[in-house]
Amino acid sequence: MNKYTLSSLLRKIGLIKIADKMMFYVNYIKTYRLRKQFFRENSDVKLPPAYYIYETFGLNYFNFYNGSAAKWLINHFEKYKKLENINILDWGCGSGRVIRHLPSFIDNSCKLYGTDYNQKYINWCNKNIMNVSFSTNKLVPPLSYESNTFDIIYGISVFTHLSKEMHFAWFDELLRVLKPGGIMLFTLQGGSFKGKLAEVEKIKFEKGELVVKSNTKEGHRTFSAFQPVSFVKELVEPNEVLEYIQGDIKNGKPQQDVWIIKKSS
């Protein structure tokens, strides 16, 4: 029995979230030396509790803190926006892995915001990350912001944990708070993730339908959605697709698709 078959079985019997928590403890033990090494080399760095990091990223502290994702985002943003005097929102910011590094790469005239449905993450961010305004949202819209507030919104692997209904509800809400002409970047589980699908799910995916592995809490890492290109185009129309970067497979691991959307005026 391979790991995907086992995962499907655990999901069917309602034990996938419990199994995932057990995997956290296994990984916590395995990464003991690496985590200790991180703090020896970075004694002044504050990191979230280990389980927060695991839930949103994984337990490699060096990769969690290296800031490469923030620089990667900036490289995309600056192709379409002048990064001065603008408002940027990290939707689904988690425990601040990405947004904590953005001030190092942009002009200090920019205002940064982060929001997440997990109150524990936001509490930690408010106490430990400066120069960012954090707030809590619900699993369902709306956000607490006024319409047409943001010049840029990004969501790293957020739609990947939502149902079909919430895809459309949240995309509409993000458009509401995005300024006309503003850009939105999000990452999705596209074609490179088909290896994680059962045969019946692959058929559905190839037909252009959203595939959702549920039977667990929506929004949690164990709730997983896979988005074919045709579904995403339906989701974002009539707004302009500025860029679509298909994810490949690196070192045996699938990489998420990247979509950059411009809000219609």
Side-chain angles (χ1 to χ4, degrees):
M1 180 182 296
N2 63 40
K3 62 181 180 180
Y4 299 132
T5 302
L6 177 60
S7 176
S8 295
L9 176 61
L10 291 169
R11 189 178 301 278
K12 286 180 181 179
I13 60 179
L15 295 178
I16 188 66
K17 194 173 179 183
I18 295 174
D20 186 68
K21 189 64 176 285
M22 295 303 297
M23 282 303 301
F24 160 71
Y25 291 116
V26 171
N27 280 278
Y28 189 76
I29 294 171
K30 286 183 176 179
T31 59
Y32 174 80
R33 290 183 179 179
L34 189 64
R35 290 184 289 106
K36 289 296 183 183
Q37 179 185 347
F38 176 88
F39 285 118
R40 283 198 303 270
E41 298 177 10
N42 303 276
S43 59
D44 59 332
V45 172
K46 293 182 179 179
L47 289 186
Y51 189 61
Y52 294 8
I53 296 176
Y54 172 79
E55 278 193 304
T56 58
F57 181 75
L59 281 178
N60 187 316
Y61 286 9
F62 287 96
N63 290 345
F64 179 88
Y65 187 69
N66 67 18
S68 61
K71 179 58 177 173
W72 172 81
L73 281 174
I74 293 302
N75 290 339
H76 283 299
F77 295 161
E78 62 188 4
K79 289 185 286 185
Y80 305 105
K81 288 286 182 184
K82 186 175 183 179
L83 302 183
E84 296 178 5
N85 295 301
I86 62 172
N87 297 329
I88 301 175
L89 173 66
D90 184 337
W91 171 60
C93 64
S95 51
R97 177 178 71 92
V98 177
I99 201 167
R100 70 188 296 167
H101 295 289
L102 284 187
S104 299
F105 300 110
I106 59 176
D107 189 81
N108 60 15
S109 63
C110 299
K111 295 181 180 179
L112 300 174
Y113 300 80
T115 187
D116 199 278
Y117 86 120
N118 190 313
Q119 184 66 61
K120 292 180 180 179
Y121 296 166
I122 296 301
N123 289 345
W124 188 89
C125 288
N126 274 322
K127 292 177 182 177
N128 296 282
I129 299 177
M130 304 297 105
N131 303 316
V132 179
S133 177
F134 291 100
S135 64
T136 307
N137 58 264
K138 303 294 184 182
L139 181 62
V140 299
L143 294 170
S144 60
Y145 310 110
E146 297 292 330
S147 298
N148 304 320
T149 296
F150 299 102
D151 301 273
I152 296 174
I153 297 174
Y154 66 91
I156 306 299
S157 196
V158 182
F159 281 114
T160 53
H161 304 294
L162 297 177
S163 63
K164 182 176 182 179
E165 178 185 5
M166 286 298 99
H167 272 71
F168 287 93
W170 273 112
F171 187 78
D172 287 347
E173 175 63 5
L174 295 175
L175 285 178
R176 181 187 70 81
V177 299
L178 185 65
K179 294 178 181 178
I183 65 171
M184 186 190 313
L185 180 152
F186 49 85
T187 68
L188 304 174
Q189 295 185 130
S192 63
F193 284 80
K194 287 192 292 184
K196 293 190 174 186
L197 302 179
E199 288 304 314
V200 65
E201 293 171 330
K202 289 179 182 177
I203 293 172
K204 185 177 180 180
F205 186 93
E206 292 293 349
K207 289 181 178 179
E209 299 177 34
L210 179 74
V211 175
V212 176
K213 292 179 179 288
S214 54
N215 203 26
T216 185
K217 181 182 178 182
E218 186 167 2
H220 189 261
R221 56 179 268 125
T222 54
F223 189 106
S224 199
F226 303 80
Q227 298 90 355
V229 170
S230 56
F231 169 81
V232 181
K233 289 182 177 179
E234 176 189 356
L235 174 69
V236 305
E237 65 180 12
N239 302 279
E240 180 183 357
V241 176
L242 294 175
E243 199 168 347
Y244 161 59
I245 304 170
Q246 184 177 5
D248 56 10
I249 297 178
K250 295 181 180 179
N251 300 319
K253 294 183 179 181
Q255 307 299 304
Q256 294 192 7
D257 291 353
V258 179
W259 291 82
I260 304 177
I261 310 300
K262 180 180 180 181
K263 179 180 176 179
S264 299
S265 298

Coordinates of all heavy atoms in Angstrom, one line a residue, residues 28-65:
Y28 N 8.9 15.9 14.3 CA 9.5 16.7 15.3 C 10.8 16.0 15.9 O 11.8 16.6 16.2 CB 8.5 17.0 16.4 CG 8.9 17.9 17.5 CD1 8.9 19.3 17.2 CD2 9.3 17.5 18.7 CE1 9.3 20.2 18.2 CE2 9.7 18.4 19.7 CZ 9.7 19.8 19.4 OH 10.1 20.7 20.4
I29 N 10.6 14.7 16.1 CA 11.8 13.9 16.6 C 12.9 13.8 15.5 O 14.1 14.0 15.9 CB 11.3 12.5 16.9 CG1 10.3 12.6 18.1 CG2 12.5 11.6 17.3 CD1 9.6 11.2 18.4
K30 N 12.5 13.6 14.3 CA 13.5 13.5 13.2 C 14.3 14.8 13.0 O 15.5 14.7 12.6 CB 12.8 13.1 11.9 CG 12.4 11.6 11.8 CD 11.8 11.3 10.5 CE 11.4 9.9 10.3 NZ 10.8 9.6 9.0
T31 N 13.7 15.9 13.2 CA 14.4 17.2 12.9 C 15.0 17.8 14.1 O 15.4 19.0 14.1 CB 13.3 18.2 12.3 OG1 12.3 18.4 13.2 CG2 12.8 17.6 11.0
Y32 N 15.1 17.1 15.2 CA 15.6 17.6 16.5 C 17.0 18.3 16.3 O 17.2 19.4 16.7 CB 15.7 16.5 17.5 CG 16.4 16.9 18.8 CD1 15.7 17.7 19.8 CD2 17.8 16.7 19.0 CE1 16.3 18.1 20.9 CE2 18.4 17.1 20.2 CZ 17.6 17.8 21.2 OH 18.2 18.2 22.3
R33 N 17.9 17.6 15.7 CA 19.3 18.1 15.5 C 19.3 19.4 14.6 O 20.0 20.4 14.9 CB 20.2 17.1 15.0 CG 20.5 16.0 16.0 CD 21.5 15.0 15.4 NE 21.8 13.9 16.4 CZ 22.6 12.9 16.2 NH1 23.3 12.8 15.0 NH2 22.9 12.0 17.1
L34 N 18.5 19.3 13.5 CA 18.5 20.4 12.6 C 17.9 21.7 13.3 O 18.3 22.8 13.1 CB 17.7 20.0 11.4 CG 17.7 21.0 10.2 CD1 19.1 21.2 9.6 CD2 16.7 20.6 9.1
R35 N 16.8 21.5 14.1 CA 16.2 22.6 14.7 C 17.1 23.2 15.8 O 17.2 24.4 15.9 CB 14.9 22.1 15.4 CG 13.8 21.8 14.3 CD 12.5 21.5 15.0 NE 12.5 20.2 15.6 CZ 12.5 20.0 16.9 NH1 12.5 21.1 17.7 NH2 12.5 18.8 17.4
K36 N 17.9 22.4 16.5 CA 18.8 22.9 17.5 C 19.9 23.6 16.8 O 20.4 24.7 17.3 CB 19.4 21.7 18.3 CG 18.4 21.1 19.2 CD 18.0 22.1 20.3 CE 17.1 21.4 21.4 NZ 16.7 22.4 22.4
Q37 N 20.4 23.1 15.6 CA 21.4 23.8 14.9 C 20.9 25.2 14.4 O 21.7 26.2 14.5 CB 21.8 23.0 13.6 CG 22.8 23.7 12.8 CD 23.1 22.9 11.5 OE1 22.7 21.7 11.3 NE2 23.8 23.5 10.6
F38 N 19.7 25.3 14.0 CA 19.1 26.6 13.6 C 19.3 27.6 14.7 O 19.7 28.7 14.5 CB 17.7 26.5 13.2 CG 17.1 27.8 12.8 CD1 17.2 28.3 11.5 CD2 16.4 28.5 13.8 CE1 16.6 29.5 11.2 CE2 15.9 29.8 13.5 CZ 16.0 30.3 12.2
F39 N 18.8 27.2 15.9 CA 18.9 28.2 17.0 C 20.3 28.5 17.5 O 20.5 29.6 18.0 CB 18.0 27.7 18.1 CG 16.5 27.9 17.8 CD1 15.7 26.8 17.8 CD2 16.0 29.1 17.6 CE1 14.3 26.9 17.5 CE2 14.6 29.3 17.3 CZ 13.8 28.2 17.3
R40 N 21.2 27.6 17.3 CA 22.6 27.8 17.6 C 23.1 28.9 16.7 O 23.9 29.8 17.1 CB 23.5 26.6 17.5 CG 23.3 25.6 18.7 CD 24.5 24.6 18.7 NE 24.6 23.9 17.5 CZ 24.0 22.7 17.2 NH1 23.2 22.2 18.2 NH2 24.2 22.1 16.1
E41 N 22.7 28.9 15.4 CA 23.2 29.8 14.4 C 22.4 31.1 14.4 O 22.8 32.1 13.8 CB 23.3 29.1 13.1 CG 24.2 27.9 13.0 CD 24.2 27.2 11.7 OE1 23.6 27.8 10.7 OE2 24.8 26.1 11.6
N42 N 21.2 31.1 14.9 CA 20.3 32.2 14.8 C 19.6 32.4 16.2 O 18.4 32.4 16.3 CB 19.2 31.9 13.8 CG 19.8 31.6 12.4 OD1 20.1 32.5 11.6 ND2 19.9 30.3 12.1
S43 N 20.4 32.7 17.2 CA 19.9 32.8 18.6 C 19.0 34.0 18.8 O 18.2 34.0 19.7 CB 21.1 32.9 19.5 OG 21.9 34.0 19.2
D44 N 19.1 35.0 17.9 CA 18.2 36.2 18.1 C 16.9 36.1 17.3 O 16.1 37.0 17.4 CB 19.0 37.4 17.6 CG 19.4 37.3 16.2 OD1 19.6 36.2 15.7 OD2 19.6 38.4 15.5
V45 N 16.7 35.0 16.5 CA 15.5 34.9 15.7 C 14.3 34.3 16.5 O 14.5 33.3 17.2 CB 15.8 34.0 14.5 CG1 14.5 33.8 13.7 CG2 16.8 34.7 13.5
K46 N 13.2 34.9 16.3 CA 12.0 34.4 17.0 C 11.2 33.6 15.9 O 10.9 34.1 14.9 CB 11.1 35.5 17.5 CG 11.7 36.3 18.7 CD 10.8 37.3 19.2 CE 11.4 38.1 20.4 NZ 10.5 39.2 20.9
L47 N 10.9 32.4 16.2 CA 10.1 31.5 15.4 C 8.8 31.1 16.1 O 8.8 31.0 17.3 CB 10.9 30.3 14.9 CG 12.0 30.4 14.0 CD1 12.5 29.1 13.6 CD2 11.6 31.2 12.8
P48 N 7.8 30.9 15.3 CA 6.5 30.4 15.9 C 6.7 29.0 16.5 O 7.7 28.3 16.3 CB 5.5 30.3 14.7 CG 6.2 31.1 13.6 CD 7.7 31.0 13.8
P49 N 5.7 28.6 17.4 CA 5.8 27.2 17.9 C 5.9 26.2 16.8 O 5.5 26.4 15.7 CB 4.5 27.1 18.6 CG 4.1 28.5 19.0 CD 4.6 29.3 17.9
A50 N 6.6 25.1 17.1 CA 6.9 24.1 16.0 C 5.6 23.6 15.3 O 5.7 23.4 14.1 CB 7.6 22.9 16.7
Y51 N 4.5 23.4 16.0 CA 3.3 22.9 15.3 C 2.8 23.9 14.3 O 2.3 23.6 13.3 CB 2.3 22.5 16.3 CG 1.1 21.7 15.6 CD1 1.4 20.6 14.9 CD2 -0.2 22.2 15.6 CE1 0.3 19.9 14.3 CE2 -1.2 21.6 15.0 CZ -1.0 20.4 14.3 OH -2.0 19.7 13.7
Y52 N 2.9 25.2 14.6 CA 2.4 26.3 13.7 C 3.3 26.2 12.4 O 2.7 26.3 11.3 CB 2.6 27.7 14.3 CG 1.8 28.0 15.5 CD1 1.0 27.1 16.2 CD2 1.8 29.3 16.0 CE1 0.3 27.4 17.3 CE2 1.1 29.7 17.1 CZ 0.3 28.7 17.8 OH -0.4 29.1 18.9
I53 N 4.6 26.0 12.6 CA 5.5 25.9 11.4 C 5.1 24.6 10.6 O 5.0 24.7 9.4 CB 6.9 25.9 11.9 CG1 7.3 27.2 12.5 CG2 7.9 25.6 10.7 CD1 8.7 27.2 13.1
Y54 N 4.9 23.5 11.3 CA 4.6 22.3 10.6 C 3.3 22.4 9.8 O 3.2 22.0 8.6 CB 4.5 21.1 11.6 CG 3.9 19.9 11.0 CD1 4.7 19.0 10.3 CD2 2.6 19.5 11.2 CE1 4.2 17.8 9.7 CE2 2.1 18.3 10.6 CZ 2.9 17.5 9.9 OH 2.4 16.3 9.4
E55 N 2.3 23.0 10.4 CA 0.9 23.1 9.8 C 1.0 23.9 8.5 O 0.3 23.7 7.5 CB -0.1 23.8 10.7 CG -0.7 22.9 11.7 CD -1.9 23.5 12.4 OE1 -1.7 24.6 13.0 OE2 -3.0 22.9 12.4
T56 N 1.8 24.9 8.5 CA 1.8 25.9 7.3 C 3.0 25.7 6.4 O 3.0 26.3 5.3 CB 1.9 27.3 7.9 OG1 3.1 27.5 8.7 CG2 0.6 27.6 8.7
F57 N 4.0 24.9 6.7 CA 5.2 24.8 5.9 C 5.9 23.4 6.0 O 6.1 22.7 5.0 CB 6.1 25.9 6.2 CG 7.4 25.9 5.4 CD1 7.3 26.4 4.1 CD2 8.6 25.5 5.9 CE1 8.4 26.4 3.3 CE2 9.7 25.5 5.1 CZ 9.7 26.0 3.8
G58 N 6.3 23.1 7.2 CA 7.2 21.9 7.4 C 8.2 22.3 8.4 O 8.3 23.4 8.8
L59 N 8.9 21.3 8.9 CA 9.8 21.5 10.1 C 11.2 21.8 9.8 O 12.1 21.7 10.7 CB 9.7 20.4 11.1 CG 8.4 20.3 11.9 CD1 8.4 19.1 12.8 CD2 8.3 21.6 12.8
N60 N 11.5 22.2 8.6 CA 12.9 22.7 8.3 C 13.0 24.2 8.6 O 12.5 25.0 7.8 CB 13.2 22.4 6.8 CG 14.7 22.8 6.5 OD1 15.2 23.8 6.9 ND2 15.3 21.9 5.7
Y61 N 13.5 24.5 9.7 CA 13.5 25.9 10.2 C 14.4 26.8 9.3 O 14.1 28.0 9.1 CB 14.1 26.0 11.6 CG 13.1 25.5 12.7 CD1 11.9 24.9 12.4 CD2 13.4 25.7 14.0 CE1 11.0 24.4 13.4 CE2 12.5 25.2 15.0 CZ 11.4 24.6 14.7 OH 10.5 24.2 15.7
F62 N 15.4 26.2 8.7 CA 16.3 27.0 7.8 C 15.5 27.5 6.6 O 15.6 28.6 6.2 CB 17.5 26.2 7.4 CG 18.5 26.1 8.5 CD1 18.6 24.9 9.3 CD2 19.5 27.1 8.8 CE1 19.5 24.8 10.3 CE2 20.4 26.9 9.8 CZ 20.4 25.8 10.5
N63 N 14.7 26.6 6.0 CA 13.9 26.9 4.8 C 12.8 27.8 5.2 O 12.4 28.7 4.4 CB 13.4 25.6 4.2 CG 14.5 24.8 3.5 OD1 15.6 25.3 3.2 ND2 14.2 23.6 3.2
F64 N 12.2 27.6 6.4 CA 11.1 28.5 6.8 C 11.5 29.9 6.9 O 10.8 30.8 6.6 CB 10.6 27.9 8.2 CG 9.5 28.8 8.8 CD1 8.2 28.5 8.4 CD2 9.7 29.8 9.6 CE1 7.1 29.2 9.0 CE2 8.7 30.6 10.2 CZ 7.4 30.2 9.8
Y65 N 12.7 30.1 7.4 CA 13.2 31.5 7.7 C 14.0 32.2 6.7 O 14.4 33.3 6.8 CB 14.0 31.5 9.1 CG 14.3 32.9 9.6 CD1 13.3 33.7 10.0 CD2 15.6 33.3 9.5 CE1 13.6 35.0 10.4 CE2 15.9 34.6 10.0 CZ 14.9 35.5 10.4 OH 15.2 36.7 10.8

